[in-house]
Amino acid sequence: MKTFANHWYRTCTAMLGVAGCLVLACAPSARAQDVSAKTLVDRAQIQDLVTRYYYNFGKENPESFSDFYADDAELILGTTHFKGKDGIAKAYARGGGSSPAPAKPYSFMVTISNPLIVVHGNAATSQVIFTEFLIDKQGEAPHIRTQGREYATFVKVSGQWRYKTRQIKGGTVPPDGWKE
């Protein structure tokens, strides 16, 4: 009798577990985007653009950062706005003013994580967390220079995804008026 009771208890427990999994699997996720082959391809292309952009930092011969942007794009760093490809190119070319240039690190790397990409036809939004790492001298341990969030909008230009706006912020509060 004891074996039957144990078997019955295990069977009921297993059935309840399966039922719970089915309920969770059928429950809609919070603000999930409809997924189609097209949105998956678009999201992969946008994530590739963002990844290539961040790989560009610290490269010996980087691609022009402005090539990642649409012609009328805007880059927002804190309270400073750079508009159009020329403005964005100047943002990356600007000097350090009258202070001496800091010593060039042995290695500069930027990682991105937690990409949230939402496609709206030929436009899209993304949020990523970035972390900048420096290694001052060969053999030394890396240290974090800064960490923040990037909030971006994208448009398709001649079939290619390009940044429309890119805003860098610290903290966890999105920019005013931000919509996924």
Side-chain angles (χ1 to χ4, degrees):
M1 191 68 146
K2 189 173 183 178
T3 354
F4 174 77
N6 285 342
H7 177 69
W8 185 82
Y9 174 77
R10 279 188 260 143
T11 301
C12 287
T13 303
M15 289 185 341
L16 285 173
V18 169
C21 289
L22 288 173
V23 166
L24 288 175
C26 294
S29 60
R31 296 197 288 176
Q33 179 177 6
D34 290 334
V35 177
S36 68
K38 183 176 179 349
T39 58
L40 287 175
V41 168
D42 287 335
R43 285 167 52 182
Q45 290 172 341
I46 292 166
Q47 188 163 355
D48 182 59
L49 173 78
V50 173
T51 302
R52 286 185 302 108
Y53 188 90
Y54 277 94
Y55 263 92
N56 211 27
F57 288 101
K59 280 175 87 175
E60 184 76 27
N61 297 308
E63 295 177 51
S64 171
F65 280 100
S66 62
D67 289 346
F68 290 85
Y69 290 85
D71 290 339
D72 60 345
E74 182 175 21
L75 170 62
I76 306 164
L77 303 173
T79 58
T80 308
H81 294 242
F82 301 92
K83 295 187 179 187
K85 286 189 171 226
D86 289 340
I88 292 164
K90 287 177 186 168
Y92 285 99
R94 65 185 174 158
S98 60
S99 61
K104 184 177 179 185
Y106 169 72
S107 178
F108 174 71
M109 293 170 281
V110 182
T111 61
I112 53 173
S113 60
N114 299 348
L116 175 59
I117 300 167
V118 180
V119 177
H120 308 280
N122 285 331
T125 61
S126 78
Q127 299 177 53
V128 298
I129 297 170
F130 68 88
T131 307
E132 295 180 3
F133 293 93
L134 290 176
I135 300 174
D136 296 318
K137 294 178 183 167
Q138 186 174 5
E140 289 185 354
H143 57 92
I144 295 175
R145 177 177 145 178
T146 189
Q147 187 176 56
R149 292 179 184 240
E150 172 190 295
Y151 297 88
T153 61
F154 300 87
V155 292
K156 262 196 174 171
V157 177
S158 301
Q160 300 292 315
W161 287 102
R162 295 290 177 251
Y163 280 105
K164 176 73 173 169
T165 61
R166 182 171 173 264
Q167 184 166 1
I168 302 301
K169 286 187 59 133
T172 58
V173 178
D176 290 338
W178 176 257
K179 292 183 182 139
E180 275 183 15

